[in-house]
Amino acid sequence: MIERPSLRITALAGGIGGARFLRGLLAHLTERYPDGSEGSSAEVTVIGNTGDDIWMHGVKVCPDLDTVMYTLGGGINEDQGWGRSDETFTAKAELQAYGAEPSWFGLGDRDIATHLLRTHLLTSGATLSEVTARLCERWQPGVRLLPMSDQRVETHVIVSEGPDDTRHTALHFQEWWVRHRASIRAHGFVQRGLDDARPAPGVIDAISTADVVLLPPSNPVVSIGTILAVPGIGEALRATSAPVVGVSPIIGGAPVRGMADACLSAIGVATNATAVAEHYGCRRDGGFLDGWLVDTTDHSALATLASLGIASRAVPLLMVDVEATAAMADQALSLAFELADR
């Protein structure tokens, strides 16, 4: 990888996949730029999806922001990929004993402390950006974590209301994802509040002044797609002078984790690495991508991607451990630098 002083990296991220990629990225950067040696350093800004946010039992829950914060701060439940480590669920059991609904969304006792403080600060007049910065003071994630917007945006899923598939209704994304495990066929997604949303302070600047913009392997529809739909963010990504490199969340025709295939199907996009890249689109044609990493099992996609104007590489994309993920992040940066030097 080419050495560059004060490398500025901006990443758009959802939850588990984005957080784990970022952990590998930081591990790679720590090895590449130890203590700012030789005058070189790297700064990472993460723009987190807040379309999955939900108010639950009177508290504001930001699943993707918290997953990034906990993962990079060393407090994540590694087996689940979300929630706190060493978690207990006494409060959840008590709420169920009261018959409080919804019972399908479980808040852990440690996790509740985060949501309580967030809610207190928000209702006291702080913005979500200010609250996120306050929470990160404890976790020290090693990145500047920004919500995509300070305004409330919530993703809802259009699903069939009855067996005849002629009547539709909307469910909050978390109910569709957590309660139903995306088993109900989705016909589309609606982001309530999106029209009135604005990029949070620092978001546009982080994109426009970046040396590299990365799209980690997060859900392309309800994570990255929601961030890009905030008025002004997609336009900033198209206009930035930085190369934009994405990492496929699809390997061998299937999502690595989660149910991204159900989301892709709902918007008519096939579940394969090439289709997702085409969904993002090439920047020269008004899309978002300059480069795209696919897994070695999808090597045959390289020729098609080249015909779309998207530079690509086939490398191992399974994030089996931090070392493997760091190597993947190195490949993403290497491709970005290759594009920047052309």
Side-chain angles (χ1 to χ4, degrees), residues 201-340:
V203 166
I204 298 302
D205 183 66
I207 295 171
S208 62
T209 63
D211 296 306
V212 176
V213 177
L214 299 176
L215 306 185
S218 297
N219 191 306
V221 181
V222 294
S223 294
I224 304 294
T226 301
I227 298 172
L228 293 174
V230 174
I233 293 183
E235 292 83 350
L237 195 64
R238 292 188 181 99
T240 183
S241 60
V244 180
V245 173
V247 181
S248 175
I250 306 297
I251 295 178
V256 177
R257 187 185 179 103
M259 298 153 283
D261 50 341
C263 298
L264 290 167
S265 176
I267 63 169
V269 175
T271 305
N272 63 68
T274 303
V276 174
E278 192 168 8
H279 168 65
Y280 282 135
C282 175
R283 279 218 294 169
R284 74 177 187 191
D285 299 323
F288 299 108
L289 290 178
D290 297 306
W292 187 239
L293 294 187
V294 302
D295 188 71
T296 50
T297 59
D298 295 311
H299 186 274
S300 61
L302 298 185
T304 302
L305 290 165
S307 71
L308 295 172
I310 300 172
S312 59
R313 291 182 181 180
V315 301
L317 292 188
L318 284 175
M319 296 186 285
V320 294
D321 53 35
V322 174
E323 290 74 19
T325 311
M328 185 171 77
D330 182 21
Q331 289 287 343
L333 290 178
S334 177
L335 178 56
F337 288 156
E338 178 184 304
L339 289 165

Side-chain angles (χ1 to χ4, degrees), residues 73-86:
I76 199 72
N77 182 318
E78 292 289 350
D79 292 333
Q80 292 180 160
W82 52 271
R84 286 291 311 280
S85 58
D86 301 318

Side-chain angles (χ1 to χ4, degrees), residues 14 27 29 36 41 57 71 80 89 98 106 111 116 135 169 172 184 186 191 196 204 227 254 272 279 308 315 328 334:
L29 293 173
S41 62
H57 299 302
T71 300
Q80 292 180 160
F89 291 90
Y98 280 117
D111 200 27
L116 284 170
L135 295 173
T169 189
H172 191 285
I184 303 175
Q191 282 81 27
D196 297 322
I204 298 302
I227 298 172
N272 63 68
H279 168 65
L308 295 172
V315 301
M328 185 171 77
S334 177

Side-chain angles (χ1 to χ4, degrees), residues 44 87 101 146 160 164 170 181 201 221 226:
V44 180
E87 187 62 281
E101 294 293 340
L146 304 176
S160 298
D164 57 4
R181 304 295 297 168
V221 181
T226 301

Side-chain angles (χ1 to χ4, degrees), residues 2-7 33 39-42 211 336-338 340-341:
I2 301 171
E3 298 286 357
R4 300 190 178 212
S6 302
L7 177 66
Y33 302 109
S40 297
S41 62
D211 296 306
F337 288 156
E338 178 184 304
D341 288 337

Side-chain angles (χ1 to χ4, degrees), residues 6 14 24 35 43 55 70 99 106 115 118 141 153 200 255 269 302 321 331:
S6 302
D35 302 319
E43 300 174 354
W55 284 83
Y70 292 156
H115 309 319
R118 176 187 290 119
V153 177
V269 175
L302 298 185
D321 53 35
Q331 289 287 343

